[in-house]
Amino acid sequence: MAQPDHKKFFENLSGAGKAIAVLTSGGDAQGMNAAVRAVVRMGIYVGAKVYFIHEGYQGMVDGGDNIEEATWESVSSMLQVGGTVIGSARCKEFRTHEGRLKAARNLVQRGVTNLCVIGGDGSLTGANLFREEWSGLLEELVQQGDIDAEAAEKYYALHIVGMVGSIDNDFCGTDMTIGTDSALHRIIEVVDAIMTTAQSHQRTFVLEVMGRHCGYLALVSALACGADWVLIPEMPPEDGWEDQMCQKLSETRSRGSRLNIIIVAEGSLDRHGKAITSSYVKDLVVQCLGFDTRVTILGHVQRGGTPSAFDRILASRMGVEAVLALLETTANTPACVVSLSGNQSVRLPLMECVQMTQEVQKAMDEKKFEEAVKLRGRSFENNLRTYKLLAHRKTESELPHSSFNVAVLNVGAPAAGMNAAVRSAVRVGISEGHTMFAVNDGFEGFYNGQIKEIKWGDVGGWTGQGGSLLGTKRTLPAKHIEKIAEQMRKHNINALLIIGGFEAFECLLQLCEARPSFEEFCIPLCMLPATISNNVPGTDLSIGADTALNAIVETCDRIKQSASGTKRRVFIIETMGGYCGYLASVGGLASGADAAYIYEEPFDIRDLQANVEHLTEKMKTSIQRGLVLRNENSNENYTTDFIYQLYTEEGKGVFDCRKNVLGHMQQGGAPSPFDRNFGTKISAKAMQWISKKLKETYRQGRVFANTEDSCCLLGMRRRALIFQPVMQLKDETDFVHRIPKEQWWLKLRPLMKILAKYKTSYDVSDSGQLEHVVRNRPKESDASAI
């Protein structure tokens, strides 16, 4: 397939003659196997020898069969497996000088001077100490006669790159650690299941989740399910919290709710350092309110199961980045951690991150809780602020005085997470003092007058609902602009929030262009991207795309599993997305596909033939199953049927073929934790922007906003959430095919090909450069994915 021109390729970074060892240490986390697979395959691809170190540092100390050379095939079929297949163990011996001396000898004997460590802060700190002692350890080994002076000179420096694998997301410097998103999936699956039984019996449930020193899982799951109360170690509740909590639960019930959810992190404490257990919270609710209350402790369920699409992609990207970092390192380069900031790979000095992580615990020990929250990073801080804003309803006297009416509507196809965004908008709007209006059935409902006020309690329980509860249509406003303007006048709408996909973008453009003729549209207008296709210009990610990716990956896992124990088989799978190849490409990376055909990367019969031959060659060796994804509009002639028939014919005698069209199952289902939180957070940010614009543009008793910057799309660009005027995004858009002209994820396609054993060019001009940990990022840069 055609490759884009890039300035800097990794071909300049040869791994010939180098040996890389990969180990997983400390607690296991879903996605570790994807990281191991990426390190092994990228390492082999660049010409390095790659070794597994089984059982973590214990295996490094014991040596022997624990350090085993990896092959391309040895990491097949492990992408979808939870935990770590190379094992992990806590090792007391490695903490001693003698243990590290044994480990050094075992590595030198195999010529390993590049170490990729996947673990938590303890594992990474141990790796850094090992690196600092390395030259001294080699001198001792020479003196003892275990290695010769030539070997000591040849292997004089040890290079370390870390990847953080921890479900707690407790490591400073990265927005997300490998395993966190999958753990959130496990928690949200349980919460969604519990909410149905709680509703039936009018019960209160207290859920205890992991997080001995970090409340990230508790906080984000509370945000994702709309929990009534959350308790986390970083921000112990004020004295008297027991009465406040019971009052809140009682108020929720009095407004018609049939259930309450309380989430407790296992390490929760009060202001005096006394543990707050789930059983204590249960007894409190029973004694004070007499509610039927149950406790569910999730425990190690959170560590188990298959990794989510997000964790597979994160781990694959980080694994490749780790190998590139090792190839570029010199004797003077400090040990680094490969990290995620927004949607961008970064490299940070390992010890700066460890030091900052330890400072969080120190601040908590010294009861400096505000400081602890700040040290966790802007993502954590923003999650906490958003949760407080949405969970705790202000009294009439606390609300700011405002006479503004703000309408919210969905446009285009439904996308999981839309309802979470609407809930967030309504509640933040009410907290800002506005009167909120809901429009049913998009702009079709708008011109028909389907507009009504929506209250705080009306959106209770919306976060976990799939589809669009407001109703959504693809109708554009241009043909009905006069009727819509009339409804705007009738309801005195002062601002509009549109949540939707490419149609929503077109709607906003049409409203903006109608401003000279209709003053009703001279108000703040904002759009949130929500579409499974992820084809909206001005944003790297859209609400709903993550849920669709998980549906694709889960189905691909099942389809591949259906062929286990049978003869060699290749599956041709068609995904949605219109002309946008995001789902096919990123879904292919997450499910270990051999090829993904998309419109953005033109292909011809020679490419198809080359793919078949490549797959045939792999099938003849050891691979038993192949996976090929095709975007629905990738090519009008090379249809899914054509590709299926071609592979069937050309693969005769080697493999047989099956095809699946995934269809609308990609659009359905409950939203993923990512989509719930992304929708919730960007919607809250959008409402705050609307409030600010309303104040700025209110003059002489009316709102008048006709500048380009009052009609914006809120999107995530690399590391930042940015409000972009839609008129400026027109030049970035291919309106015929309904896609942006530039798409960041195209840079991930060579990664998928490399991991599928194709020879290709991988652009490293965008790969992470070593940076320093920033304690307080600028305000606009809070763009954490979750």
Side-chain angles (χ1 to χ4, degrees), residues 703-725:
V703 173
F704 186 81
N706 66 346
T707 55
E708 280 192 358
D709 67 352
S710 64
C711 180
C712 285
L713 178 148
L714 174 56
M716 184 170 143
R717 285 271 174 109
R718 292 162 71 92
R719 301 194 202 181
L721 284 170
I722 303 170
F723 290 93
Q724 300 149 97

Side-chain angles (χ1 to χ4, degrees), residues 219-236:
L219 178 57
V220 174
S221 53
L223 200 54
C225 71
D228 297 286
W229 203 266
V230 66
L231 294 157
I232 58 172
E234 290 88 347
M235 187 52 74

Side-chain angles (χ1 to χ4, degrees), residues 165-201:
S166 163
I167 67 163
D168 291 336
N169 202 28
D170 56 354
F171 194 81
C172 292
T174 183
D175 285 342
M176 284 293 276
T177 57
I178 295 167
T180 304
D181 187 65
S182 301
L184 284 170
H185 272 259
R186 300 296 94 79
I187 294 167
I188 294 304
E189 283 161 14
V190 171
V191 173
D192 285 352
I194 277 174
M195 284 174 97
T196 57
T197 180
Q199 193 134 16
S200 303
H201 297 277

Side-chain angles (χ1 to χ4, degrees), residues 9-11 13 20 42 46 161 317-329 338 347 762-764 767-768:
F9 299 113
F10 75 86
E11 279 94 332
L13 304 169
I20 299 170
M42 189 64 174
V46 296
V161 171
R317 286 177 72 183
M318 298 301 100
V320 168
E321 186 70 35
V323 173
L324 294 176
L326 285 170
L327 293 181
E328 291 175 1
T329 195
V338 177
R347 299 176 196 170
Y762 183 52
D763 176 19
V764 296
S767 69

Side-chain angles (χ1 to χ4, degrees), residues 439-507:
V439 182
N440 293 112
D441 297 334
F443 279 102
E444 192 173 305
F446 211 127
Y447 71 75
N448 286 325
Q450 293 172 243
I451 304 165
K452 60 178 182 182
E453 188 180 344
I454 188 165
K455 304 278 184 139
W456 185 281
D458 296 338
V459 290
W462 278 34
T463 48
Q465 302 278 337
S468 166
L469 293 173
L470 287 185
T472 181
K473 293 279 175 73
R474 295 180 185 269
T475 311
L476 300 180
K479 290 180 182 176
H480 313 280
I481 204 81
E482 288 182 18
K483 285 185 181 178
I484 292 167
E486 187 185 320
Q487 291 295 337
M488 297 278 280
R489 276 196 308 276
K490 182 179 172 183
H491 293 90
N492 189 28
I493 302 298
N494 305 119
L496 203 55
L497 179 65
I498 303 171
I499 302 165
F502 199 88
E503 288 91 353
F505 174 63
E506 289 179 303
C507 288

Side-chain angles (χ1 to χ4, degrees), residues 662-700:
L662 300 185
H664 282 77
M665 57 83 66
Q666 296 161 83
Q667 218 163 39
S672 67
F674 181 105
D675 280 329
R676 296 181 195 200
N677 289 307
F678 187 53
T680 297
K681 284 164 71 174
I682 67 169
S683 189
K685 196 173 181 74
M687 280 309 302
Q688 288 165 338
W689 177 86
I690 284 173
S691 295
K692 182 176 160 225
K693 286 290 176 190
L694 283 168
K695 285 171 191 166
E696 287 173 2
T697 57
Y698 184 72
R699 293 184 194 89
Q700 299 171 342

Side-chain angles (χ1 to χ4, degrees), residues 578-598:
Y579 285 94
C580 180
Y582 176 81
L583 290 179
S585 297
V586 182
L589 177 60
S591 53
D594 294 277
Y597 300 115
I598 62 170

